[in-house]
Amino acid sequence: MAPLCSQLLLLPALALALGPAAGLEAEELAAGMVEELRAVGLPGDLPELEPECRLLLTAFAEGSATLSGCLARRARPVRLCQACGGLYRSLLTLYGDIASAVGNSTESHNCAKSILTSDRLQVVVTLSAFFNDTWEAANCANCMKNNSEGLSNSTQEFMDLFNKSLSCFEHNLQGQAMDLSPNNYTEVCRNCNGTYKNLNDLYNKLQRLNRHGDESGHPAHLCIDVEDAMNITRKLWSRTFNCSVPCSDTVPVIAVSSFILFLPIVFYLSSFLHSKQKKRILILPKRIQSNASLVNIQEKYS
């Protein structure tokens, strides 16, 4: 078998040296040798993938390409968790099938060994780790329900409010298209204030709930889709439209500020009154001393 393989490896160089005419003969000879190799069987250290494993590998390759395309297309604005969740779950299932499936012949030729650990590079393992790391870094589990099928109710509510806010911005910008001052966004600030406030309050609520674990059961940051949507809205509201951020704690803030401003007045008033009283106490003995001196003088000259 070894001499036959060596001859097969030398055929391309021989055909190149002899020219086109000999190249055709070399191709025919190579085809004959390949058929001979198939007839006698490949060496034991070069096993072919079994049909079942080949199908699983092909499916994983196609799933990886589809998921990669989805992640790239949804990178800006970020919609990874919403758009690519189904593809990610399908790829996880395929990887599990590869890791657990066994070929038709012997245990040494199972799919896990042939595909996952047969070489140093381990491409399938590397790809799977990349997708897992990306999914965890995006905190997509915090957008999903406990069974990871579909967005959680709170996330769906937030995205609905987000889309409503963008629609309000767009509608009022169209209404101000004829305004002579392009930087005047008073219509946007006035008409969309309520919608933006509801969105901002819901985001703060989700942050508080997420620290203790809500529907998803994964206490951490909010998923990247929600964070990116809120960042976009806040930049539009404060930087682009220059609208003031609504504050629901106006009365307490005013009360505390007034109290702090009043403290210096109380301090100086109390200091003034205290110093006046000390001054009176110090003057009283002087008067007594002067009266005693006057009595002594009178007695001396009497």
Side-chain angles (χ1 to χ4, degrees):
M1 182 64 64
L4 186 59
C5 293
S6 301
Q7 294 174 14
L8 185 60
L9 293 174
L10 291 174
L11 283 177
L14 181 61
L16 183 61
L18 296 178
L24 183 58
E25 296 180 1
E27 290 180 4
E28 294 177 354
L29 181 59
M33 289 183 177
V34 169
E35 291 297 330
E36 186 176 350
L37 280 173
R38 288 178 178 174
V40 299
L42 290 172
D45 59 343
L46 295 174
E48 284 286 341
L49 279 178
E50 298 179 4
E52 176 188 1
C53 301
R54 175 68 63 184
L55 290 175
L56 288 174
L57 181 59
T58 302
F60 185 87
E62 293 175 352
S64 299
T66 305
L67 180 56
S68 299
C70 181
L71 294 176
R73 288 191 300 270
R74 301 294 182 169
R76 185 82 302 185
V78 182
R79 296 295 181 270
L80 305 183
C81 306
Q82 302 174 68
C84 308
L87 297 174
Y88 174 71
R89 290 191 296 271
S90 299
L91 199 68
L92 281 182
T93 303
L94 283 172
Y95 186 83
D97 293 340
I98 292 174
S100 60
V102 178
N104 297 325
S105 58
T106 61
E107 188 178 354
S108 61
H109 289 175
N110 64 69
C111 298
K113 184 175 181 180
S114 301
I115 298 175
L116 303 181
T117 60
S118 61
D119 59 83
R120 177 179 60 84
L121 195 56
Q122 299 181 4
V123 175
V124 173
V125 176
T126 303
L127 285 174
S128 180
F130 165 75
F131 292 127
N132 289 334
D133 292 343
T134 302
W135 196 256
E136 291 177 5
N139 294 300
C140 288
N142 295 327
C143 280
M144 306 296 175
K145 296 178 180 178
N146 285 331
N147 56 6
S148 297
E149 293 182 1
L151 295 176
S152 63
N153 295 333
S154 57
T155 303
Q156 188 62 56
E157 180 184 1
F158 177 86
M159 298 310 301
D160 291 341
L161 267 177
F162 169 70
N163 293 329
K164 186 177 180 181
S165 298
L166 293 185
S167 298
C168 183
F169 295 163
E170 183 179 2
H171 175 74
N172 285 275
L173 285 175
Q174 291 175 353
Q176 273 188 220
M178 301 302 295
D179 197 339
L180 296 178
S181 54
N183 294 325
N184 183 13
Y185 298 108
T186 54
E187 293 293 326
V188 176
C189 298
R190 180 172 61 250
N191 297 333
C192 302
N193 181 72
T195 306
Y196 175 79
K197 183 179 182 299
N198 292 336
L199 181 70
N200 193 65
D201 291 344
L202 179 58
Y203 180 79
N204 294 332
K205 177 184 176 182
L206 292 179
Q207 279 188 318
R208 291 192 300 268
L209 292 175
N210 202 66
R211 294 190 184 102
H212 307 288
D214 192 18
E215 296 177 62
S216 62
H218 296 270
H221 293 285
L222 293 173
C223 72
I224 190 65
D225 293 21
V226 172
E227 289 182 345
D228 184 71
M230 193 68 237
N231 288 337
I232 289 174
T233 312
R234 283 175 173 173
K235 287 179 181 179
L236 287 173
W237 184 260
S238 60
R239 297 181 185 179
T240 304
F241 304 140
N242 198 25
C243 301
S244 60
V245 178
C247 182
S248 58
D249 300 328
T250 305
V251 175
V253 170
I254 293 176
V256 173
S257 302
S258 302
F259 176 75
I260 294 175
L261 291 175
F262 188 68
L263 282 178
I265 300 175
V266 175
F267 172 77
Y268 286 115
L269 183 61
S270 61
S271 300
F272 175 75
L273 294 176
H274 184 67
S275 61
K276 285 289 278 184
Q277 188 170 2
K278 284 185 68 176
K279 192 173 182 180
R280 288 179 182 176
I281 295 173
L282 292 173
I283 290 175
L284 187 60
K286 290 182 179 180
R287 290 180 179 177
I288 295 174
Q289 185 179 2
S290 62
N291 291 336
S293 301
L294 181 62
V295 171
N296 292 332
I297 293 173
Q298 290 177 353
E299 289 179 353
K300 184 177 179 181
Y301 290 98
S302 61

